[in-house]
Amino acid sequence: MHNAMNCFTFAWIIVLLSGVFSCAFGSSPHQINTGEFTLEMGLVFAVLILVILLFVFEWVRVDVVGIIMMVLLPFLNLVTPQEAISGLSSNAVVAIIAVVIIGSGLDKTGCMNILARQILRRAGKSEKKIVILISTTVAFISSFMQNIGAAALFLPAVRRIARQTGISASKILMPMAYCAIIGGTITLVGASPTILLNDLIHQANELHTFDKNIEPLGLFTQTPIGIALVIAAILYFVVFGRFIIPSKDEAGDENKIMPSSLADTYQEIAGVFEVVIPDDFGSFTLEELHVRDKYHVTIAGVYSPEKKLKNYAPTRYELIHSDETLAIVGNEMHARQCAKDLGWVFKGELDIFAEDFSPNNAGMVEGIVTPRSQLVGTNMRERRFRKRNGIVPVVLCRDGICQFSQITKEIIKPGDALLMFGRWEKFLELAQKDCFAFTNEIKGEVVREEKAKVAFGWLVFTIAMILWLKPLSASLGFQIDVSLSVCLLAGALGMILTKVITIDEAYKSIDWMTVFLLGGLIPLGLAFQKTGAAEWMATSIMVLVGSVPESIFLLIIGILTSFFTLVVSNVGATVLLVPLSMSMAVEVGCDPRLAAMVVAIAASNTFVLPTHQVNALVMRPGGYQTMDYVKTGTGMTVIFLLVLTVMLITFY
């Protein structure tokens, strides 16, 4: 199936490019001059074919493709050496770096926990509801904020939701990314192509290109189309998502309480389950119940509905009352038997403790007792291990034998292995005490909740700068015109200076694969424009169009723009095609304003390859390969064009 898809994609590329070259060497009945096809143009198309082949067949990783472009293009004299590496300092790449740092700052202060909690409260563990809620929210935010910013801010929340629900992140990230891209079409300020649109129309009016001035578009002129596109995208994923979105298990142990490296040793510990104490149970201490000795399970949490309090590491003196909910660590069969014998109600999956004991916040850790450990020569009961550390001991292994019974009374020896369950912040505190050498990763991070308001304040400040800095400064009599990337960098710097996030944490949060992928593809788009290959190709295709109905003409413009956004930046495609499409629209008797709007909207129809910055951003977290984008994006591209055409015919 995979090879068949590769062959289909390669055949589609060959057919498309053969059509392009037929424009160069075939005769045309039209008299419009498309220009001479030069050697430089041929080299650019050859490089394009190479890039697509590298993407499709994955001979090298995608970020290596970007580096190849940085080296190959200047050697072919298609761009200068300075232009070859200019992508690394481009507005798009710097914006990605800055917004990822901002998102990481929000994540480390618990803001993304709050967002994830609200989404799960409304959607539960339903994959479709989660996809609808996240995609709708991201699309709305993208309607007034750059789509890469909206996607990057939601990325930590999506990963947390995936770990907590057990749903593969790949099932959520691709719909989110596509809706972030499409959301930019809802308003005129949602994406760079639509922001540029009125400037290009104004430029045409200044040059008196047409017989009469063309009216600029309003802020919500395209809103019906944008909303229809978002709805169509969500329906596409809800209906066909399980067939077209790959389910990746790239995260490995991220969604598991028990790491796979420990699973063979501790086979009896399968997970965490909830039970409810019935009304007539009475009150008993944990020590009186003897559940660890009898059933090889450990009570790791107690929730009192009367006091509305949770105890994450109850001691043996903890009183268990009626109507309370317990979290039990162990094998499901043993937990069920324990509940049955004691008259408890076995609930199974976590509910009350779903967030507290999700893989985001808690897990199993194996610690080897070192000779220097303060535990050596004592037992955990004497050391009041649970009380002091907030961690529950589950199994003690010594000389290859694992025991559950009376482990807190055993005298600890160097080399003993202790399997423990608890919340990540407690394990991080324990790691500072030099009691154990841990054999698996402590995945949690210290959440700086006291910095949450500061982090959110910097986010608001950054968005305010993006939206209002330029008009506000102009109204005060001076002009401050800074790019999106500088505004985002200001927000990221603010988080670092106010110690929301350290500079080392900021560096670690950046996905350098995305940076080099985009940094290498940007000079390829520049080569297309510098050599005239982009203009030649667009003009040749427009000449071949001839006299067609208005709806077909607009559809062809949409298809042409959609192709260009895969190989040239959406801004470059817009700057190139808006004047050209407007001129052609006048010739065929179509509204040039409508043609320009189609170009600006179709510049967001970029789903087939991971060349758009949002697609590149989610590629590694989702574990996607290029063929995943081809498979999912082809259908989305067709639906995008069909919905766009129908909306134009119906409303415009």
Side-chain angles (χ1 to χ4, degrees):
M1 180 67 183
H2 184 75
N3 291 333
M5 181 64 74
N6 283 345
C7 293
F8 168 78
T9 306
F10 181 63
W12 178 83
I13 294 165
I14 295 300
V15 169
L16 177 63
L17 291 177
S18 63
V20 169
F21 287 117
S22 71
C23 296
F25 306 111
S27 58
S28 171
H30 300 275
Q31 299 301 312
I32 298 175
N33 181 22
T34 59
E36 182 183 356
F37 188 82
T38 64
L39 174 63
E40 288 79 10
M41 293 181 189
L43 287 174
V44 169
F45 281 114
V47 172
L48 172 62
I49 294 173
L50 173 64
V51 169
I52 295 176
L53 290 176
L54 290 174
F55 275 148
V56 170
F57 293 103
E58 298 176 355
W59 292 321
V60 295
R61 215 171 68 172
V62 290
D63 49 335
V64 178
V65 177
I67 298 173
I68 290 172
M69 291 301 101
M70 294 183 203
V71 175
L72 183 61
L73 291 172
F75 270 110
L76 294 175
N77 204 29
L78 297 174
V79 297
T80 66
Q82 292 76 19
E83 290 169 338
I85 59 174
S86 63
L88 294 175
S89 61
S90 68
N91 189 59
V93 171
V94 176
I96 286 177
I97 292 174
V99 80
V100 166
I101 293 173
I102 292 173
S104 180
L106 292 169
D107 190 36
K108 290 182 184 298
T109 55
C111 292
M112 291 298 105
N113 269 337
I114 297 172
L115 178 60
R117 190 180 304 128
Q118 293 302 318
I119 291 173
L120 288 173
R121 183 174 297 170
R122 289 162 175 78
K125 292 188 176 182
S126 169
E127 181 183 319
K128 290 184 178 180
K129 289 181 180 179
I130 291 172
V131 167
I132 291 171
L133 194 55
I134 290 178
S135 300
T136 304
T137 307
V138 170
F140 171 74
I141 294 174
S142 285
S143 67
F144 61 85
M145 179 182 183
Q146 288 287 323
N147 44 38
I148 182 61
L153 289 177
F154 262 74
L155 184 58
V158 170
R159 298 175 80 169
R160 286 183 176 276
I161 289 170
R163 287 195 294 266
Q164 187 161 327
T165 60
I167 299 171
S168 173
S170 64
K171 291 288 188 178
I172 309 173
L173 284 174
M174 191 170 283
M176 182 204 75
Y178 283 13
C179 286
I181 295 171
I182 296 172
T185 66
I186 295 177
T187 68
L188 202 68
V189 297
S192 299
T194 51
I195 292 172
L196 281 171
L197 188 55
N198 276 344
D199 289 340
L200 295 171
I201 291 175
H202 177 72
Q203 185 182 69
N205 290 336
E206 289 288 313
L207 296 173
H208 303 290
T209 305
F210 307 106
D211 295 335
K212 59 180 181 180
N213 283 349
I214 299 174
E215 289 292 322
L217 274 68
L219 180 62
F220 301 108
T221 301
Q222 66 199 58
T223 299
I225 297 176
I227 292 175
L229 289 171
V230 171
I231 293 172
I234 293 174
L235 288 175
Y236 174 60
F237 285 111
V238 168
V239 176
F240 300 106
R242 61 195 182 99
F243 303 109
I244 59 175
I245 307 177
S247 181
K248 304 286 183 176
D249 193 24
E250 299 293 327
D253 290 336
E254 283 194 0
N255 296 342
K256 300 174 183 176
I257 289 290
M258 173 71 78
S260 56
S261 59
L262 304 179
D264 289 340
T265 305
Y266 305 100
Q267 296 178 9
E268 287 197 68
I269 310 300
V272 189
F273 311 95
E274 277 187 3
V275 297
V276 178
I277 308 301
D279 295 338
D280 57 351
F281 183 73
S283 298
F284 294 87
T285 65
L286 287 182
E287 189 172 35
E288 290 172 333
L289 294 174
H290 299 293
V291 293
R292 193 206 304 271
D293 300 338
K294 293 179 181 178
Y295 304 102
H296 293 182
V297 298
T298 303
I299 296 176
V302 179
Y303 170 68
S304 170
E306 183 180 347
K307 300 177 183 178
K308 298 191 183 306
L309 291 176
K310 295 177 183 177
N311 185 346
Y312 299 126
T315 67
R316 66 183 186 277
Y317 301 121
E318 178 81 21
L319 273 174
I320 305 300
H321 301 93
S322 299
D323 296 325
E324 291 184 337
T325 299
L326 309 182
I328 296 182
V329 178
N331 180 283
E332 182 176 352
M333 182 178 67
H334 293 167
R336 283 182 180 276
Q337 189 63 47
C338 173
K340 180 180 178 181
D341 292 349
L342 295 175
W344 297 346
V345 179
F346 183 81
K347 290 177 63 178
E349 289 189 1
L350 295 179
D351 179 20
I352 300 295
F353 290 93
E355 182 179 349
D356 310 280
F357 289 159
S358 74
N360 289 323
N361 303 314
M364 299 280 191
V365 175
E366 181 187 56
I368 306 298
V369 179
T370 65
R372 301 175 302 279
S373 174
Q374 57 189 252
L375 293 175
V376 173
T378 65
N379 62 47
M380 286 180 283
R381 182 168 293 189
E382 289 176 7
R383 305 294 303 185
R384 302 173 67 196
F385 186 81
R386 285 198 191 201
K387 182 94 172 162
R388 290 181 176 177
N389 300 297
I391 290 172
V392 178
V394 179
V395 183
L396 177 68
C397 280
R398 176 181 296 162
D399 299 327
I401 300 174
C402 294
Q403 68 179 84
F404 293 84
S405 305
Q406 304 296 321
I407 62 173
T408 58
K409 295 181 179 179
E410 288 284 345
I411 300 298
I412 302 298
K413 301 177 181 179
D416 286 347
L418 185 66
L419 182 69
M420 299 166 280
F421 176 80
R423 289 168 61 82
W424 294 127
E425 66 264 23
K426 295 300 182 180
F427 278 118
L428 290 170
E429 292 174 10
L430 182 62
Q432 304 300 317
K433 298 180 181 180
D434 198 26
C435 293
F436 299 97
F438 296 109
T439 61
N440 59 301
E441 179 189 5
I442 300 175
K443 294 185 288 188
E445 297 175 334
V446 177
V447 178
R448 306 181 185 103
E449 293 183 353
E450 71 280 2
K451 293 286 186 179
K453 291 182 179 179
V454 178
F456 187 74
W458 281 114
L459 173 64
V460 173
F461 173 75
T462 304
I463 294 174
M465 278 200 302
I466 294 170
L467 296 177
W468 299 309
L469 180 60
K470 185 177 179 179
L472 181 62
S473 62
S475 66
L476 295 176
F478 57 92
Q479 188 72 31
I480 301 178
D481 190 6
V482 294
S483 65
L484 168 71
S485 59
V486 173
C487 292
L488 291 169
L489 273 178
L493 178 62
M495 287 194 172
I496 293 169
L497 293 178
T498 53
K499 298 183 179 179
V500 170
I501 184 174
T502 68
I503 187 65
D504 290 331
E505 289 170 338
Y507 289 145
K508 289 178 182 178
S509 68
I510 299 167
D511 187 349
W512 294 105
M513 187 188 83
T514 304
V515 170
F516 279 96
L517 169 61
L518 293 177
L521 292 179
I522 287 172
L524 175 60
L526 183 62
F528 250 86
Q529 292 177 268
K530 278 188 66 178
T531 60
E535 184 175 1
W536 173 86
M537 181 178 174
T539 307
S540 300
I541 294 175
M542 298 299 283
V543 166
L544 290 175
V545 170
S547 179
V548 293
E550 181 178 7
S551 58
I552 301 299
F553 172 75
L554 294 175
L555 177 60
I556 291 171
I557 290 177
I559 294 172
L560 182 62
T561 307
S562 301
F563 172 77
F564 267 75
T565 55
L566 296 178
V567 293
V568 183
S569 70
N570 50 14
V571 172
T574 304
V575 171
L576 172 70
L577 293 177
V578 164
L580 178 62
S581 64
M582 290 171 69
S583 298
M584 293 298 297
V586 172
E587 288 189 25
V588 300
C590 179
D591 184 357
R593 189 167 175 258
L594 206 56
M597 185 175 72
V598 170
V599 171
I601 294 175
S604 294
N605 189 17
T606 172
F607 310 111
V608 178
L609 292 174
T611 50
H612 190 283
Q613 55 262 41
V614 175
N615 289 336
L617 177 72
V618 301
M619 190 172 190
R620 174 174 285 186
Y624 303 123
Q625 297 175 321
T626 303
M627 290 309 303
D628 296 326
Y629 287 96
V630 174
K631 180 181 177 181
T632 307
T634 300
M636 188 68 250
T637 298
V638 173
I639 290 173
F640 189 106
L641 291 169
L642 290 176
V643 172
L644 174 59
T645 305
V646 170
M647 291 298 292
L648 287 170
I649 295 172
T650 306
F651 292 97
Y652 297 88

